[in-house]
Amino acid sequence: MAKGRASDNSQRFQETCFAFALTPQQVQQISGSMDISGTKCDFSVQVQLRFCLSETSCPQEDHFPSNLCVKVNGKQCNLPGYLPPTKNGVEPKRPSRPINITSLVRLSTTVPNTIVVSWTAEIGRSYSMAVYLVKQQSSTVLLQRLRAKGIRNPDHSRALIKEKLTADPDSEIATTSLRVSLLCPLGKMRLMIPCRALTCSHLQCFDATLYIQMNEKKPTWVCPVCDKKAPYEHLIIDGLFVEILNSCSDCDEIQFKEDGSWAPMRSKKEVQEVSSASLNNGLDGSCRTSDGSDQHSSLSSSYSNSSNGKKVEVIDLTLDSSSDEEEPDSPPPLPPPPPALPPPVKRACPSLSPTSPPIINKGVLNLHHQASPVSRTPSMPAMDTSYIPPVPPLIQDYRPYYHTPNDLSELNFFSFLQGDNHQ
C-alpha cells in the first residue's frame, strides 16, 4: 500500500511523515469484517504497520528502531510493551512484531491517512516501514490448512533417527538409542496432532492445535523445544509419530533404536510408585498371607501389656555381639544358657516385588516412637549370680509367640502388637 525509507543522518532524533489512501474495495473489506463484542471493536481484515532494517540481501524480520513513536491521523498508536531487562544497565527492548492500526485508520476513499514516525537515529543503520492490508485467520482455519497439506512420510523421520544414531568413529561414546516423549512440551498432555518445523533438527514434536492457538493470542512462532523460529509455513505433521500414537496408547515415552524401530518405555512415575510400594511392604512388620491371615515378618518386636500399660523389653535372639571385647573386666563366665528355640519358618510375602531388597531379620523392629532398650542374651557378659536381676515375667513366656500355654490361651498377641503400634 505505502512504503517509506527513513535514512539516518547526523541528527540525534528523526521524524518522518507518510500518507496513504484506501481503495473502495479495501474500505468495503475492512468495514465488512467489523466484529463488535461488548465494548471492543475488532476487525478480521486489518491495516498493519511493519518495521525492519533497510537490507535487501535477504528477507528481513520485524525490527523496531530505538525509542519508536507512531501517530496515526494525529492519535498515538499503542506499541508492544517493553520486555524486562536481562542485565543491569541494559536498555529494555520492545518485541518487534506487526502493529494493528485499523481502529485509527479513516475508512474513506477521499480523505488520506497520515502516519508520523519518530525514532532515535543510529549510525550505520536505516529502517524501512510498510503498510499492509491483511486478513487475520482463526486457529481453526490454520489447523484445517495444515491438515490439508497432508502428513509427512514416516520414512523421513526414520532416516533422521538412523542419522542421529549412526556411530561416529571420532567419538568414544556411541549412542544406541534415543528416548522421546509423547507429551506436548506446551500443555504437558498427550500429543493429538504431532508436528514440528522443517527447520528443526530434533525428533520431539509438539501439538499443532495448542501451538497455533497460543500464537493466535500472542504471535511469536517460536519452537517450544529448541527455541528457534518455527513459522506456520514451515510446520509439518510427522507421519511416524501419528503411527506411534495410534498403536501405543498406554505409555508416554518411547525409545528409538538404531534401525529406526521403536519400543514403548515405562513412565518414571510408574517405576517410582512400584519401588515405593515395594519399599513400604519391606519396611512394614507384617504381610498378608494367601489365606487372608496376617503374619508377623520380624522375629522380635516391642509391645505393651494391656493391663498395666508398661513397656516390655524384647530380646533379639538373632544378633551376634562383640561385647566380650568391649568389656575386658567382666567377672568369670557363667555356664552357657540353654539353647533358644528355633525361629518359625517364615512364609513368603506375595506383595513384595522381585526387585525389592531382602528383609534382614537382624535388629529389633521398633513399633514405638521412643526406642526400647535391647539386651543381647546369647553373648551376655558373665556376671555373678547375686547381681542377676529376676527374669521379667514375659521373657520366660516368649514361647507363646510360637506355642500358647494353657494359662495364656485367651490372649491375642497380634492384637497387642497392633494396639501398641497405634499408640
Side-chain angles (χ1 to χ4, degrees), residues 85-238:
T86 56
K87 297 180 181 179
N88 294 333
V90 177
E91 182 181 358
K93 296 182 179 180
R94 295 182 186 271
S96 300
R97 54 174 174 257
I99 307 171
N100 182 13
I101 62 171
T102 312
S103 60
L104 303 178
V105 172
R106 299 188 183 104
L107 298 180
S108 172
T109 58
T110 57
V111 181
N113 295 274
T114 60
I115 301 176
V116 178
V117 181
S118 60
W119 74 100
T120 300
E122 299 178 63
I123 298 176
R125 281 192 173 185
S126 60
Y127 296 87
S128 296
M129 185 196 77
V131 179
Y132 290 92
L133 183 67
V134 300
K135 182 177 181 181
Q136 188 180 30
Q137 301 290 352
S138 64
S139 59
T140 304
V141 174
L142 293 179
L143 187 60
Q144 291 175 353
R145 290 183 178 178
L146 180 62
R147 283 179 165 178
K149 290 170 60 177
I151 300 176
R152 196 181 193 191
N153 195 311
D155 292 338
H156 287 274
S157 298
R158 292 191 181 97
L160 182 59
I161 294 170
K162 294 178 181 179
E163 180 183 351
K164 287 181 174 295
L165 297 181
T166 300
D168 186 1
D170 298 332
S171 177
E172 297 180 357
I173 301 175
T175 304
T176 58
S177 63
L178 186 64
R179 301 180 67 169
V180 178
S181 175
L182 299 181
L183 301 180
C184 176
L186 292 172
K188 306 301 180 183
M189 299 178 64
R190 187 175 175 86
L191 293 169
M192 300 298 293
I193 304 178
C195 79
R196 64 174 182 271
L198 291 171
T199 54
C200 294
S201 60
H202 51 79
L203 287 167
Q204 179 66 55
C205 293
F206 48 86
D207 190 75
T209 304
L210 187 56
Y211 181 72
I212 294 175
Q213 288 177 350
M214 292 182 64
N215 283 278
E216 182 183 20
K217 302 297 181 183
K218 186 178 180 181
T220 56
W221 301 103
V222 174
C223 176
V225 179
C226 61
D227 293 331
K228 295 181 180 179
K229 288 290 184 179
Y232 174 79
E233 294 77 12
H234 293 169
L235 296 182
I236 54 98
I237 299 178
D238 193 301

Side-chain angles (χ1 to χ4, degrees), residues 10 42 69 74 103 105 113 244 253 298 302 327 350-351 357 389 408 417:
S10 59
D42 200 2
C69 180
S103 60
V105 172
N113 295 274
I244 295 172
E253 193 174 19
S298 179
S302 300
E327 299 180 5
S351 62
L408 295 178
L417 296 176

